[in-house]
Amino acid sequence: MRRTLWAAALLGPPLAVSLVLFVGPLVYLFHVSLHEASQSELYGPGPTLANYAAILADPFYLTIIKRTLGTAAWILGLALLVGYPVAYFVALLPPRRRALVTLALLFPLMVSNVVRAYGWVAILGRRGVINTSLRDLGVIDAPLDLLFNQEAVVVGLLTILLPYMVISIANTLAALDRRYEEAAQALGAGPLRTFLHVTLPLSTPGVASGLLLVFLLTLSAYVTITLLGGPRSKLLVSLIFDSVVSFQWPLAAALAFTLLAIALALTGLILLVLRPQRVQGRG
Amino acid sequence: MRWGAWIRGLATALAFAVILCPILVVVLAAFSPTDYFVFPPPSLSLRWFAEFFRLDNMRNAFLLSLELALSSACIAATLGTFAALHLARRKGWVAAVLQALFLAPLVFPTIILGLALLLLYKSVGMPPLPGLILAHCVVGMPYCFRTVLGSVQSLDPALEEAGQSLGAGPLRTLFLVTLPLVWPGVLSGWLFAFIVSFGELNTALFLTGPGVTTLPIEIFSYLQFQGSQLVIAAASTLQIALIILMVAGIERVVGLGRIIRSR
Amino acid sequence: MSADAPDVRLEKARKTFGAVVAVDDIDLAIGRGTIFSLLGPSGCGKTTTLRLIAGFEQPTSGEVFIRGRRVTDVPPYKRDFSMVFQSYALFPHLSVADNVAFGLRMRRVGRADRAAAVKEALALVKLDGFADRFPRQLSGGQQQRVALARAIVVKPAVLLLDEPLGALDKMLREEMQVELRELQQRLGITAVFVTHDQEEALTLSDRVAVMRDGVIEQEGAPRAIYEKPLTEFVAGFLGASNFFDGRIAARDGAAAVVETKGGAVRVAHAAGAVGDQVRLAVRPERVRLLRPGSEGIVAQVRDIVYRGSVTHYYLDGAGGAILAYSQNASPGASAWAVGDAVACAWDAESGVVVTPDRRP
Ligand SMILES: Nc1ncnc2c1ncn2[C@@H]1O[C@H](COP(=O)(O)OP(=O)(O)OP(=O)(O)O)[C@@H](O)[C@H]1O
Ligand SMILES: [Mg+2]
């Protein structure tokens, strides 16, 4: 009796917070998404799938969804391409140096994204470091438009999220038993084939978690996207904010769940393709 | 594989350059004496920091962010520790579901959480500041939960049993045995909750209102509506400085390795 | 290259890690088709020696040859060997069949030949029907067999095994020792086997090298190593030994009489002149207990431990403790009781003069 009371006292408060402030609001949000808009209230009559139907029928939304996926694909691809070799480099460092480098990767993650995005504005903007330097060198007369395009969004988000990728993969690689690589070499595999057949497959858990983190954070990075992409490079998350600003609550809710569906679908896809779980369990 | 080593070294140098450059540029710009950032700056000055504290909006946002981060981190650390203590030694599907629930906000798109909370708050008439504190509490709790869970699980269960076998009830065992051993985990979880709250954008975007604005959101709206002025660089630099201060302080108490592990 | 040229040869091979000399100028030649064991206490350099042969470590100085080819600077994957690791290092993301096929794939063996060879190798280690399982779905003993199959399927010139049976329990280990030996004989592979279990080394090997502090103290056939240890360390490390200090009192050709504290004993082979100090090693099972007054070293029974097939007698002699094993060949109580005075005797061939230990 005392024990259950004790257990309930420990679990109760955090569970209540989780249910009331996390699960509950999401259920409510879904509820709202199933209703028509209203001028005076939060939402009008329902239930209806009209909001979802409107999103899927509107070529504008579909374009934005495509752009969102395209931007995410660029970011994920580049993050993997740059992040993997960096992670390999970090994983091979001796433990103390690895801890220091990991800290150097963690520190930027602690700095607010708005600050880091502003850093890119200060570099790429019309009065940014690049433009003023080039003008002072006499290379250009008029400032270049480096900001407010998809490339700026990709570069900005890539550099903001890259540490997640590196740390995820580096942790997996550092924990990898070096004997697997030696066993491959003992069986005649050279460095390249050892990497392709053994190291790379065994690091899929890190790759998968890095990809997932970067992808999910890309989806909700409204501030970075707005500051670097401007009004012409909007992504799905920008539309959610826009509909909130124009008080279209049910539409905003439906867009949010569209975003969530995309997140879930891609999470499933990444896990299905990489199958990180097959590496778990030691041989 | 010589070229393999070259690729790795080159990629690492490049990655660190693009990751750290924007932050360095911001810090450098904050000390500019000029109206606009010129590179390299002709001299250094504190003019923009003075400007920052002269602006009521900025100063208030900074203080509010501080208050928000402190209070939400304390609540999050308490709740996260409760949950971790409860789940650390439990198995089975209920425990697995609960653990997934407590960790979920870590990967859940926070922009959706922000919108959902906004709607909830609107329908119950929640005032902005408590609403923000609770939102950041939800966002910060998983960090504390994870670090404390790790700390408790790496603890020898025999220690707690020894405490109980010596006649200490669950509460006294908690205070006399468990907490003294896991408090570094609690502290680093608290640190992360603080840092996350201090820089958080996605829920704050929806939940801040007139007069109740966090520093990151103030920086964002300033950038959007007043353009790129160097007072923002000063604000950003203060943000970074506070984080460095916090990490250094906690590092002295619990050690670097623990902060890195608890990420 | 003749058929009995050594398959593995180390020439003054040396490996240092900072200030630690892990392998100290070792010379080694391992003949074709033999099982060669490296035996020694923990940290003596066995694994390092094996890794020098494999190429995972580069010798600080000296040379490595496999099948007469100098491979000192050749990377591991271009050397003709395969290896069974202590923790097996089976690839967790590959099935049993794919694990076994790995080496063949790296050698670009065609799909059909590969499948046939894998099937054959799995049959050899009695794992037919396990091809589609994953390593985590196997018991320790089965994983061990897969590791073995993976290593032998590529028909290497040399098979290296680093304590491959260390993780198995005693019963399974003894079973695997026999199977390993059979398999090696059938395939005629040259094998280098690292172990710190002396019984395993004696059971399994054609030749044994006893290592200590990076140096090979003695190398030879198991019987020679056991019965004719050259040093006190080897005599003590392989099985138990009694040691007696004495002085050569008289000589007769190779034989000699050694005067010890407890009495004089005959020794069949002893170098040295009359008056030299020597140390004798005598195996406990060679010590016979006789009635007091008989020729031999005088002692008193301190303790008797019944061990089933043998009885251990702990005796106090004039020169120190003596241990004697007596086969329980017939039923009935022990011939001696605690406190009895006895005389300890052994054949002149059983007392071996050994180099005393360098260390105190
Ligand atoms: N990579 C290394 N770096 C530094 N020292 C090493 C390294 N590998 C081995 N050593 C040292 O070299 C010596 C021999 O090690 P080795 O692993 O060969 O011993 P071993 O005989 O295999 O021991 P065990 O039976 O415990 O496996 C030890 O003192 C060890 O500490
Ligand atoms: Mg070893």
Side-chain angles (χ1 to χ4, degrees):
Chain A
M1 189 58 223
R2 283 270 302 275
R3 291 195 76 86
T4 37
L5 210 68
W6 172 241
L10 278 182
L11 181 62
L15 186 61
V17 166
S18 266
L19 292 179
V20 175
L21 294 167
F22 182 60
V23 180
L26 293 176
V27 173
Y28 183 56
L29 186 67
F30 189 60
H31 173 79
V32 172
S33 80
L34 297 178
H35 289 76
E36 284 171 23
S38 154
Q39 291 298 320
S40 50
E41 302 290 313
L42 274 180
Y43 54 89
T48 165
L49 286 174
N51 297 309
Y52 292 100
I55 293 169
L56 293 180
D58 191 334
F60 171 69
Y61 288 121
L62 295 182
T63 311
I64 298 283
I65 289 176
K66 263 199 219 122
R67 189 193 288 161
T68 304
L69 290 176
T71 308
W74 271 106
I75 292 171
L76 289 186
L78 288 172
L80 192 57
L81 205 66
V82 181
Y84 203 103
V86 178
Y88 213 129
F89 180 89
V90 175
L92 291 181
L93 291 174
R96 241 205 98 65
R97 291 247 291 283
R98 192 167 76 229
L100 282 178
V101 174
T102 308
L103 188 74
L105 285 168
L106 273 177
F107 166 69
L109 295 183
M110 300 179 182
V111 176
S112 180
N113 282 0
V114 71
V115 172
R116 301 176 69 195
Y118 167 61
W120 278 113
V121 171
I123 292 175
L124 299 177
R126 292 178 74 85
R127 286 182 203 263
V129 176
I130 291 181
N131 270 322
T132 50
S133 303
L134 287 180
R135 197 194 52 216
D136 291 351
L137 289 173
V139 181
I140 51 170
D141 298 325
L144 303 172
D145 281 320
L146 302 171
L147 222 49
F148 303 141
N149 50 44
Q150 202 191 353
E151 289 77 14
V153 174
V154 169
V155 169
L157 275 178
L158 174 68
T159 56
I160 286 174
L161 301 176
L162 191 57
Y164 289 107
M165 189 65 121
V166 174
I167 292 173
S168 296
I169 300 177
N171 281 345
T172 319
L173 283 178
L176 201 69
D177 193 340
R178 297 278 151 241
R179 266 173 232 261
Y180 291 130
E181 288 162 340
E182 289 186 350
Q185 299 211 348
L187 293 166
L192 187 63
R193 291 206 285 174
T194 300
F195 176 76
L196 289 179
H197 290 287
V198 175
T199 316
L200 189 60
L202 287 180
S203 63
T204 43
V207 172
S209 75
L211 285 175
L212 284 179
L213 267 176
V214 171
F215 178 67
L216 293 170
L217 291 170
T218 295
L219 282 186
S220 35
Y222 172 76
V223 168
T224 315
I225 292 166
T226 308
L227 287 180
L228 300 180
R232 279 182 298 122
S233 305
K234 288 189 171 175
L235 301 187
L236 195 48
V237 62
S238 328
L239 300 189
I240 298 180
F241 191 77
D242 289 351
S243 19
V244 167
V245 171
S246 56
F247 303 110
Q248 294 171 285
W249 306 111
L251 178 64
L255 281 169
F257 276 94
T258 310
L259 186 82
L260 195 59
I262 292 175
L264 284 178
L266 258 110
T267 301
L269 188 71
I270 288 174
L271 293 180
L272 205 68
V273 171
L274 290 181
R275 289 189 296 144
Q277 73 286 355
R278 83 198 139 133
V279 181
Q280 257 104 54
R282 300 175 38 86
Chain B
M1 191 160 57
R2 288 211 77 82
W3 53 270
W6 271 102
I7 292 178
R8 291 198 291 268
L10 204 70
T12 308
L14 179 81
F16 270 98
V18 292
I19 290 171
L20 294 177
C21 256
I23 299 176
L24 293 179
V25 166
V26 168
V27 174
L28 205 58
F31 292 96
S32 285
T34 42
D35 282 351
Y36 286 97
F37 181 48
V38 287
F39 184 82
S43 64
L44 299 181
S45 96
L46 293 177
R47 137 175 198 212
W48 293 109
F49 290 95
E51 174 77 5
F52 171 85
F53 285 106
R54 205 181 50 76
L55 289 175
D56 287 342
N57 281 350
M58 283 282 173
R59 197 181 56 235
N60 291 340
F62 182 76
L63 293 177
L64 183 105
S65 269
L66 210 56
E67 187 186 341
L68 175 62
L70 279 173
S71 49
S72 69
C74 288
I75 304 175
T78 311
L79 294 178
T81 305
F82 275 21
L85 287 173
H86 177 87
L87 284 178
R89 305 250 182 261
R90 270 167 227 267
K91 296 201 166 50
W93 68 269
V94 179
V97 168
L98 283 175
Q99 183 165 339
L101 175 69
F102 288 135
L103 288 176
L106 224 42
V107 287
F108 192 84
T110 31
I111 201 99
I112 301 179
L113 177 64
L115 177 61
L117 284 173
L118 172 65
L119 287 182
L120 179 78
Y121 289 173
K122 269 197 173 308
S123 57
V124 300
M126 171 79 87
L129 186 56
L132 264 175
I133 293 178
L134 287 177
H136 280 192
C137 185
V138 174
V139 176
M141 200 167 80
Y143 293 91
C144 309
F145 174 68
R146 193 170 58 178
T147 52
V148 182
L149 193 71
S151 296
V152 181
Q153 281 174 343
S154 65
L155 211 67
D156 185 353
L159 286 173
E160 290 165 31
E161 286 159 13
Q164 305 216 351
S165 76
L166 294 171
L171 198 65
R172 287 212 291 173
T173 305
L174 175 67
F175 278 102
L176 296 178
V177 180
T178 314
L179 278 184
L181 289 169
V182 302
W183 72 267
V186 178
L187 205 56
S188 31
W190 179 89
L191 173 69
F192 267 83
F194 180 94
I195 286 173
V196 167
S197 163
F198 200 59
E200 210 274 343
L201 287 163
N202 290 342
T203 62
L205 195 60
F206 291 120
L207 302 178
T208 48
V212 187
T213 305
T214 65
L215 185 59
I217 295 299
E218 183 65 30
I219 294 177
F220 175 56
S221 36
Y222 214 87
L223 270 173
Q224 261 197 311
F225 301 117
Q226 328 254 328
S228 165
Q229 294 182 19
L230 291 186
V231 66
I232 296 170
S236 302
T237 304
L238 283 172
Q239 236 250 333
I240 297 170
L242 192 88
I243 289 167
I244 293 179
L245 223 66
M246 297 285 301
V247 173
I250 303 275
E251 194 272 330
R252 292 198 64 125
V253 188
V254 299
L256 205 62
R258 192 171 276 283
I259 296 178
I260 290 175
R261 276 195 306 279
S262 64
R263 161 173 79 91
Chain C
M1 180 180 24
S2 73
D4 51 357
D7 258 354
V8 175
R9 197 148 59 80
L10 295 184
E11 242 175 42
K12 287 231 164 300
R14 181 184 184 81
K15 179 70 190 177
T16 56
F17 296 105
V20 180
V21 183
V23 171
D24 196 354
D25 290 342
I26 281 188
D27 286 304
L28 201 67
I30 300 171
R32 167 96 26 116
T34 55
I35 294 198
F36 186 98
S37 284
L38 285 167
L39 176 66
S42 185
C44 69
K46 308 178 296 283
T47 297
T48 307
T49 307
L50 206 67
R51 291 169 64 83
L52 284 175
I53 301 173
F56 294 134
E57 306 286 359
Q58 286 285 306
T60 311
S61 62
E63 303 286 351
V64 183
F65 299 86
I66 294 179
R67 284 253 161 108
R69 169 177 166 232
R70 180 178 170 278
V71 293
T72 314
D73 320 309
V74 175
Y77 53 94
K78 290 185 181 154
R79 298 188 184 192
D80 192 4
F81 77 99
S82 62
M83 185 155 173
V84 177
F85 292 81
Q86 176 165 14
S87 54
Y88 313 139
L90 296 178
F91 302 126
H93 61 297
L94 299 180
S95 68
V96 165
D98 288 341
N99 261 285
V100 177
F102 192 92
L104 299 171
R105 252 171 97 192
M106 294 305 124
R107 286 165 173 74
R108 304 195 192 283
V109 175
R111 187 179 288 273
D113 294 343
R114 216 155 67 197
V118 168
K119 206 165 150 53
E120 192 185 48
L122 285 177
L124 266 180
V125 297
K126 302 180 187 147
L127 279 180
D128 335 58
F130 285 82
D132 295 328
R133 295 235 199 146
F134 279 81
R136 62 178 168 279
Q137 300 167 320
L138 301 178
S139 72
Q142 290 165 339
Q143 291 183 12
Q144 212 285 326
R145 286 161 207 256
V146 176
L148 196 60
R150 183 175 75 174
I152 58 176
V153 75
V154 296
K155 304 209 166 27
V158 191
L159 178 62
L160 305 178
L161 306 107
D162 190 358
E163 306 204 19
L165 309 179
L168 306 180
D169 63 42
K170 195 164 155 35
M171 290 272 282
L172 199 54
R173 196 157 70 217
E174 284 170 3
E175 202 180 305
M176 283 303 300
Q177 285 168 9
V178 177
E179 280 185 28
L180 200 63
R181 172 100 200 149
E182 269 178 28
L183 203 62
Q184 180 268 344
Q185 306 255 293
R186 184 143 27 121
L187 301 172
I189 290 183
T190 309
V192 186
F193 190 96
V194 164
T195 178
H196 59 243
D197 179 340
Q198 39 117 354
E199 228 172 274
E200 190 166 282
L202 295 179
T203 313
L204 211 69
S205 334
D206 298 308
R207 293 186 75 77
V208 178
V210 181
M211 281 188 79
R212 180 201 202 183
D213 292 344
V215 176
I216 294 181
E217 290 244 340
Q218 186 173 358
E219 191 215 312
R223 179 178 289 269
I225 296 262
Y226 187 77
E227 295 187 357
K228 298 272 180 255
L230 293 176
T231 66
E232 182 181 345
F233 172 76
V234 173
F237 189 73
L238 265 88
S241 273
N242 295 297
F243 296 102
F244 301 96
D245 285 326
R247 202 174 47 79
I248 298 183
R251 294 208 59 107
D252 176 13
V257 174
V258 173
E259 192 73 49
T260 73
K261 270 194 190 144
V265 289
R266 278 173 206 289
V267 180
H269 304 278
V274 171
D276 285 359
Q277 281 287 334
V278 292
R279 181 165 289 180
L280 283 184
V282 183
R283 296 288 180 194
E285 68 271 20
R286 300 292 173 82
V287 177
R288 272 174 284 129
L289 302 184
L290 305 172
R291 242 170 252 299
S294 313
E295 192 184 339
I297 289 177
V298 179
Q300 195 178 21
V301 179
R302 174 164 38 93
D303 200 3
I304 302 175
V305 177
Y306 174 74
R307 302 269 303 237
S309 64
V310 291
T311 302
H312 292 189
Y313 292 94
Y314 295 86
L315 311 151
D316 290 321
I322 303 173
L323 179 60
Y325 298 163
S326 149
Q327 201 71 33
N328 295 331
S330 52
S334 161
W336 309 98
V338 172
D340 284 357
V342 294
C344 304
W346 54 85
D347 297 339
E349 295 283 343
S350 295
V352 182
V353 176
V354 294
T355 313
D357 225 335
R358 296 168 252 144
R359 283 182 286 197

